[in-house]
């Protein structure tokens, strides 16, 4: 059956439109607190965070805790309960802390989102209450997403527990879930109520996660802050030895630079195609996938930055000494700068990693924008990456990594 619709002829009345312009200004402000032993009953940071917004009666919170973190720190959930108990006149746990899956799996786990929503409903969490998310970047992304859709958004207090979460994932305004086979395909922008960075939580991390977040610190330093880069390079071996003070300083400066970026980039909700903080990431995303996640994100980013720095050298953007300083800093931190996967070829004989450029272009919505270092501490955006020069940069990087 076919149907046929004929629109009535346009008259002056039907062509006329009138517009009311709606303009609303909203400003967001949230504290990012750097502390130690946040769950010690005498540490005020968490209580202050939960009581920032005046609410009738006690501040109620539903705590969602990363299961991997709770397993590595068997006392943590008890300490959390004790903290609320010791401040029972001002704070109240809305129910027993909810353990949620840790790691990337958290972001595939829609069941966990529903479980948080149901638990919140069962304990009558209202718009004056808060969700407290404790864990790595994956758990913060998943719990933050659940909090952002619960009652159309309830307050979220984050306690990040990995280096990456404390210096990047946990301090910003995004969350995300994996769907349709893509990372962060779903998610919302939702500024937190407060962030509590307790550096002591980092001591139970594996070496891989400890160092992974430091790759992101190098990333912002190389493209934004030469002084920070010099400090990272100077303390690289201490950070590798798990010196907590050295890492605390790196985490803090990196978090500050991320906050500054969100505040001053002019594009907090990322509608444009420039993503300076994606330096080193076009190949990193591909390498992570090609390795079946043998390479952690931070490890892949380290290799991606090393490759892009060699490429930038071939364009005269960084000097051989600057390129050498970047490679040495990463290596001394215990991060890889080369992987044989860079040599894998597709059936047409092209380096498989180059497909990462195409994915990147698509992700940005058509136009390719890749951020490269210009000297150290500054950056430049390019819209074309020459495959032949990438080929030669890989060859040079293989040799340099062997000699290092
Ligand atoms: N929202 C953002 O702006 C943003 C920014 C960057 C990255 N991310 C996301 O962050 C995720 C990666 O987060 P991540 O690197 O923090 O890793 P992760 O959250 O995947 O955690 C890694 C592992 O460490 C465990 N763990 C967490 N804290 C621990 C601790 N203190 N001691 C021992 N084990 C602990 C977890 O259970 C997990 O098994 C990615 O999904 C990425 O997309 C988000
Ligand atoms: Zn990254």
């Amino acid at each position: 059956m076919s149907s046929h619709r004929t629109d009535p002829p346009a008259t002056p009345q039907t062509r006329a439109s009138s517009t009311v312009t709606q303009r609303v200004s909203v400003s967001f402000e949230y504290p990012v607190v750097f502390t130690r032993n946040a769950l010690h009953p005498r540490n005020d940071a968490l209580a202050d965070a939960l009581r920032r917004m005046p609410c009738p009666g006690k501040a109620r919170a539903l705590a969602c805790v990363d299961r991997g973190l709770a397993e590595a720190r068997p006392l943590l959930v008890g300490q959390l309960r004790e903290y609320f108990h010791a401040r029972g006149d001002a704070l109240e746990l809305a129910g027993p802390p909810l353990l949620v899956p840790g790691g990337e799996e958290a972001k595939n786990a829609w069941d966990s989102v529903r479980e948080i929503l149901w638990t919140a409903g069962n304990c009558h969490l209202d718009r004056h209450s808060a969700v407290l998310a404790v864990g790595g970047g994956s758990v913060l992304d998943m719990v933050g997403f659940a909090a952002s859709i619960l009652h159309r958004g309830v307050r979220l207090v984050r306690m990040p527990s990995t280096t990456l979460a404390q210096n990047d994932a946990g301090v910003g305004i995004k969350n995300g879930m994996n769907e349709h086979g893509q990372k962060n395909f779903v998610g919302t922008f939702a500024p937190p109520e407060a962030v509590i960075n307790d550096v002591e939580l980092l001591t139970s991390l594996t070496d891989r996660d400890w160092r992974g977040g430091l790759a992101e610190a190098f990333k912002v330093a190389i493209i934004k802050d030469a002084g920070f880069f010099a400090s990272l390079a100077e303390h690289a071996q201490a950070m590798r030895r798990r010196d907590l003070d050295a890492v605390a300083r790196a985490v803090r400066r990196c978090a500050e630079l991320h906050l500054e970026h969100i505040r001053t980039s002019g594009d907090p909700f990322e509608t444009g195609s420039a993503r300076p903080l994606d330096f080193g990431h076009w190949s990193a995303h591909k390498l992570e996938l090609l390795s079946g996640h043998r390479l952690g994100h931070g490890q892949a980013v380290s290799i991606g930055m090393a490759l892009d720095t060699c490429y930038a050298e071939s364009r005269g953007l960084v000097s051989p000494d600057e390129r050498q300083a970047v490679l040495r800093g990463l290596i001394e931190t215990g991060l890889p700068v080369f992987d044989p996967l860079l040599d894998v070829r597709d059936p047409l004989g092209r380096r498989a990693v180059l497909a990462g450029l195409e994915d990147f272009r698509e992700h940005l919505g058509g136009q390719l924008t890749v951020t490269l270092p210009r000297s150290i501490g500054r950056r430049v955006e390019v819209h074309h990456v020459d495959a032949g020069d990438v080929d030669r940069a890989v060859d040079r990087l293989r040799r340099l990594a062997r000699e290092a």
Side-chain angles (χ1 to χ4, degrees), residues 16 33 81 85 92 123 139 163 222 230 243 264 293 341 358 365 401:
V33 183
R81 285 171 175 272
H85 184 69
E92 183 186 345
C123 57
V139 161
T163 40
I222 292 166
D243 179 314
T264 61
H293 296 280
L341 283 173
E358 215 26 65

Side-chain angles (χ1 to χ4, degrees), residues 162-375:
T162 64
T163 40
L164 179 90
Q166 292 194 359
N167 69 15
D168 180 343
V171 300
I173 59 174
K174 296 185 281 187
N175 54 58
M177 295 285 291
N178 303 335
E179 187 50 67
H180 198 257
Q182 291 175 54
K183 247 178 98 92
N184 302 325
F185 186 69
V186 172
T188 54
F189 285 93
E193 176 74 5
V195 182
I196 313 288
N197 269 341
D198 177 353
V199 74
E200 294 284 341
L201 286 180
L202 305 182
T203 56
S204 51
L205 285 174
T206 60
D207 279 341
R208 171 172 141 148
D209 288 317
W210 172 276
R211 294 171 188 174
L214 297 175
E216 303 280 358
F218 272 97
K219 177 193 74 182
V220 281
I222 292 166
I223 55 170
K224 277 179 179 266
D225 186 339
F228 183 33
F229 176 78
S231 158
L232 288 175
E234 183 187 340
H235 298 106
Q237 291 178 12
M239 294 193 298
R240 181 186 191 146
R241 286 195 311 272
R242 300 182 66 117
D243 179 314
L244 203 54
D245 288 333
V247 165
R249 281 193 299 273
V251 161
R252 185 186 176 115
R253 183 65 192 135
C254 182
E256 283 171 357
L257 287 166
H258 267 104
L259 292 168
E260 183 187 292
H261 178 79
I262 295 167
R263 204 170 52 241
T264 61
S265 66
D267 187 23
F269 300 123
E270 300 182 358
T271 46
S273 64
R275 300 277 173 83
L277 297 182
D278 279 349
F279 162 49
H281 277 58
W282 69 264
S283 56
H285 287 314
K286 199 75 205 165
L287 288 170
E288 263 181 281
L289 277 179
L290 287 172
S291 77
H293 296 280
R294 165 178 60 78
L295 289 172
H297 179 70
Q299 282 68 20
V301 169
S302 177
I303 297 166
M305 290 190 293
L307 176 60
D308 281 0
T309 304
C310 283
Y311 180 84
E313 183 192 1
S314 73
R315 303 263 133 176
L317 294 167
V318 301
S319 70
D321 283 353
E322 289 164 340
R323 180 260 300 147
Q324 193 50 23
V326 168
L327 297 194
R328 195 180 316 117
L330 295 171
I331 291 169
E332 288 186 353
T333 308
L335 288 160
V337 294
F338 186 84
D339 192 275
L341 283 173
L342 285 173
D343 285 331
V344 169
R345 304 264 167 185
D346 68 15
L348 298 175
R350 261 169 47 114
R351 276 189 209 278
V353 73
L354 282 168
L357 279 174
E358 215 26 65
D359 297 346
F360 214 60
R361 185 199 315 276
E362 235 179 71
H363 178 72
L364 292 175
Q367 196 199 20
L368 179 68
T369 303
V370 168
T371 299
L372 294 174
R374 163 173 269 168
S375 183

Side-chain angles (χ1 to χ4, degrees), residues 38-39 43-50 80 83-84 132 157 159 196:
L39 295 180
N43 188 321
D44 292 330
L46 178 57
D48 290 349
L50 291 166
L80 188 60
Y83 187 89
F84 277 78
L132 169 63
V157 174
M159 282 186 69
I196 313 288

